[in-house]
Amino acid sequence: MLSGLTISNFAIVSELETQWHAGMTAITGETGAGKSIAIDALSLCLGERADAGAVRPGAKQADISARFDITHLPKAQQYLQEHMLESDDNECLLRRVIAKNGRSKSYINGAAVTAAQLKELGQYLLSIHGQHAHQLLLKNDHQLHLLDEYAGHKTLLDNTASAFDHYQTLQRELKALEAKHAQQQAQKQLLEYQVAELDEFALEEDEFEQIEIEHNTLSHAQHLLEGSQKQLYALYEGDEQTISGALQHSANAMVELAAIDPALEGIANMLNEACVQVEEASRELRGYCDNTELDPERLSQLDQRLASAISLARKHMVNPKELVTHHQEIKASLEAICVDDERLAQLDTEINDALALYQQHSEELSKSRQDAATALSELIGTSMHELSMENGRFAIELDNDSVRAPSRLGQDRIEFLVSTNPGQPMQPLSKVASGGELSRISLAIQVIIAQRVTTPTLIFDEVDVGISGPTASAVGKLLRRLGESTQVICVTHLPQVACSAMNQFFVAKEVANDETYTQMKALSSQGRVDEIARLLGGDNISATTLANAKELIAAYG
């Protein structure tokens, strides 16, 4: 529960520190005094959007801290443990600092966090019901939200949402593939032709380079053969003096000279090695000449393959040496299109299966909603009677249609129906309920759901607008009964509601040195009597209004 709230330089509050207690607490004050200032501050501590307007004029920053006792809040304790934010005791301190430029910093137990984390933790600590909740009640999506809150079937909602997301993902994939498929059909025909053409030509890796080399060799075969034979004669096989013979003669001479002067042995050895090298070169040259043939037929074949490769490369607008790589790339593109075609065929089955699973979860959710709607309708009808709508009847109409477009929330259409007068048929809430009736119905629903959801602290911000007389007494009793099991904080202008509270704060606005200040203080027993008397009779408090105030507090408290 909320145990403390400290506010510094927020809006028209300079400094404020309040202590809070269990049970029902009422907040009252003059019109325009800022009775909702504490709730606005708490909203910021729970991660609501902050802006520069939150900072008191002339101040550098607004600083708000809310302290909660989480002794009996296992979900809050678990969240803090999972995020390593727990404290040594069973208290949790939320803090929000807003700079005058609108930027803010958030803290949980002194550790810096994001505003989103404040909001995540806040759902386990406190729930705020605003004065415009009755207006939301007219919206069908909000009606469905209220029913789901009451039903508490989060697992069914999650299953339905998850199944819908999967179904939508497959639908998006199908749409993208169909659009892609339409564009690819013309491309597919071209690729099939190109791949077939290149498959038939069947150029292998590095084959073009090898063809170029062989073609170049065969086209110069005559010149190569004649030149090689000429050098072979000069080196070794000539009829006259050859290079080999002359070299051998020099080597023999140097061997004789080296026998006289050993300094010439190195030269003699080199010449002998040269003789061996020339002889080896001559032998290999002879083999080359013997194996070199003039092959016009092979040259013609190479001419044709080379020309075809160049022609194909020009046709595909690539370098002939890149033709094999290009072949592999367009083949891969064609295979990808074929894979897309196969995926399109698979998607029909997968989408049908996903839709069937979604509808299964949607029907389970709808059944749970129907059961909850029956119970909630009875409870709301009973509360309407308690709130001076003796002839009121309430029903929740659910229409589930599997043909209806799927959504994350299922396929239910909801309508809150009401009849407030005898003989009046049940009609949609928006058509028959007056402002006051709508406020009472809204309050009844909020109290019922609050009891079901078991939020530790509930704040009602002027939800009793449009209510007066005996109905106000019923509202006060309703909130006090709720306060017996939950901490209830209620901003109100009704004396019947205020006197039902166990504790009461008074909010006042003061002007000093041309500056406006809002103060909020806990009321003593006598202070409560004075404030209830003010609510009853206005600024002119008489002995009669004071006596009435005492009677109200005694009767309701």
Side-chain angles (χ1 to χ4, degrees), residues 465-482:
V465 171
I467 296 172
S468 60
T471 305
S473 300
V475 169
K477 291 177 181 178
L478 194 66
L479 292 175
R480 184 180 178 89
R481 189 165 67 243
L482 181 61

Side-chain angles (χ1 to χ4, degrees), residues 502-542:
M502 304 161 188
N503 310 287
Q504 187 170 348
F505 282 100
F506 176 71
V507 180
K509 184 168 61 175
E510 300 176 1
V511 178
N513 299 323
D514 295 327
E515 289 191 69
T516 303
Y517 298 87
T518 287
Q519 295 294 330
M520 181 174 172
K521 64 179 181 178
L523 294 178
S524 62
S525 297
Q526 184 57 49
R528 290 194 67 192
V529 172
D530 293 340
E531 173 60 6
I532 298 298
R534 186 192 67 80
L535 292 173
L536 287 168
D539 293 333
N540 298 319
I541 300 176
S542 65

Side-chain angles (χ1 to χ4, degrees), residues 33-219:
K35 293 188 292 294
S36 298
I37 199 75
I39 297 172
D40 294 338
L42 280 170
S43 295
L44 287 174
C45 269
L46 295 177
E48 289 301 317
R49 184 182 178 87
D51 57 47
V55 182
R56 181 177 173 82
K60 292 183 178 180
Q61 63 182 34
D63 196 329
I64 305 165
S65 297
R67 190 170 65 256
F68 293 85
D69 182 347
I70 59 171
T71 303
H72 304 295
L73 306 181
K75 289 184 178 179
Q77 293 174 11
Q78 182 182 352
Y79 181 90
L80 293 174
Q81 289 169 1
E82 288 176 351
H83 294 81
M84 295 183 290
L85 295 168
E86 64 268 38
S87 61
D88 295 334
D89 50 28
N90 281 322
E91 282 196 340
C92 175
L93 182 66
L94 306 186
R95 184 182 174 212
R96 193 83 180 273
V97 179
I98 302 102
K100 62 181 179 181
N101 61 5
R103 295 182 179 177
S104 69
K105 294 180 180 179
S106 306
Y107 303 89
I108 297 177
N109 288 331
V113 296
T114 64
Q117 285 178 290
L118 285 180
K119 189 169 288 189
E120 289 171 1
L121 175 59
Q123 64 183 320
Y124 305 123
L125 302 173
L126 185 148
S127 177
I128 298 176
H129 300 261
Q131 56 184 303
H132 302 298
H134 63 283
Q135 297 173 356
L136 288 174
L137 194 58
L138 301 177
K139 299 180 180 296
N140 296 113
D141 55 348
H142 186 64
Q143 293 175 0
L144 192 63
H145 170 71
L146 290 174
L147 177 61
D148 286 334
E149 272 204 313
Y150 174 78
H153 44 214
K154 185 177 184 301
T155 300
L156 295 180
L157 281 168
D158 290 344
N159 289 343
T160 303
S162 177
F164 172 78
D165 290 342
H166 179 56
Y167 173 71
Q168 283 289 87
T169 299
L170 293 176
Q171 287 279 38
R172 284 193 293 269
E173 184 182 357
L174 176 64
K175 188 176 181 180
L177 277 179
E178 285 177 339
K180 188 178 178 183
H181 179 76
Q183 297 174 348
Q184 287 177 334
Q185 289 315 295
Q187 182 187 14
K188 181 181 178 182
Q189 294 178 357
L190 175 61
L191 288 175
E192 285 175 337
Y193 170 77
Q194 291 178 330
V195 168
E197 184 179 47
L198 291 171
D199 281 345
E200 183 180 1
F201 188 65
L203 188 68
E204 296 180 358
E205 188 74 31
D206 298 327
E207 182 185 351
F208 183 80
E209 291 85 343
Q210 294 169 4
I211 290 173
E212 279 190 314
I213 293 171
E214 186 179 359
H215 181 275
N216 185 58
T217 300
L218 281 178
S219 61

Side-chain angles (χ1 to χ4, degrees), residues 306-358:
L306 196 63
S308 296
I310 293 172
S311 175
L312 269 176
R314 187 180 297 114
K315 186 176 182 180
H316 288 264
M317 293 183 291
V318 295
N319 188 292
K321 295 178 181 179
E322 300 169 354
L323 200 58
V324 173
T325 301
H326 176 68
H327 183 193
Q328 293 170 346
E329 288 174 350
I330 63 172
K331 199 170 185 178
S333 298
L334 180 60
E335 289 172 355
I337 293 176
C338 294
V339 168
D340 286 347
D341 290 344
E342 292 174 6
R343 181 60 183 151
L344 272 173
Q346 292 173 352
L347 273 175
D348 284 335
T349 302
E350 290 186 23
I351 287 174
N352 288 334
D353 291 344
L355 181 58
L357 179 62
Y358 167 80

Side-chain angles (χ1 to χ4, degrees), residues 185-299:
Q185 289 315 295
Q187 182 187 14
K188 181 181 178 182
Q189 294 178 357
L190 175 61
L191 288 175
E192 285 175 337
Y193 170 77
Q194 291 178 330
V195 168
E197 184 179 47
L198 291 171
D199 281 345
E200 183 180 1
F201 188 65
L203 188 68
E204 296 180 358
E205 188 74 31
D206 298 327
E207 182 185 351
F208 183 80
E209 291 85 343
Q210 294 169 4
I211 290 173
E212 279 190 314
I213 293 171
E214 186 179 359
H215 181 275
N216 185 58
T217 300
L218 281 178
S219 61
H220 294 86
Q222 183 68 41
H223 175 69
L224 290 170
L225 182 59
E226 290 176 355
S228 297
Q229 288 175 339
K230 182 177 179 180
Q231 296 306 316
L232 179 60
Y233 290 146
L235 285 171
Y236 198 80
E237 294 184 353
D239 295 333
E240 300 178 357
Q241 181 68 29
T242 63
I243 294 173
S244 176
L247 192 57
Q248 187 63 57
H249 179 75
S250 295
N252 293 337
M254 289 304 302
V255 168
E256 292 177 2
L257 293 174
I260 300 170
D261 186 355
L264 297 174
E265 284 182 2
I267 297 173
N269 290 336
M270 285 189 286
L271 288 172
N272 281 324
E273 290 173 2
C275 290
V276 174
Q277 292 291 328
V278 169
E279 187 175 352
E280 181 65 27
S282 300
R283 188 162 43 250
E284 290 191 15
L285 194 55
R286 186 182 299 110
Y288 177 82
C289 292
D290 293 342
N291 293 321
T292 298
E293 297 180 1
L294 303 180
D295 191 347
E297 184 177 350
R298 175 61 178 164
L299 182 60

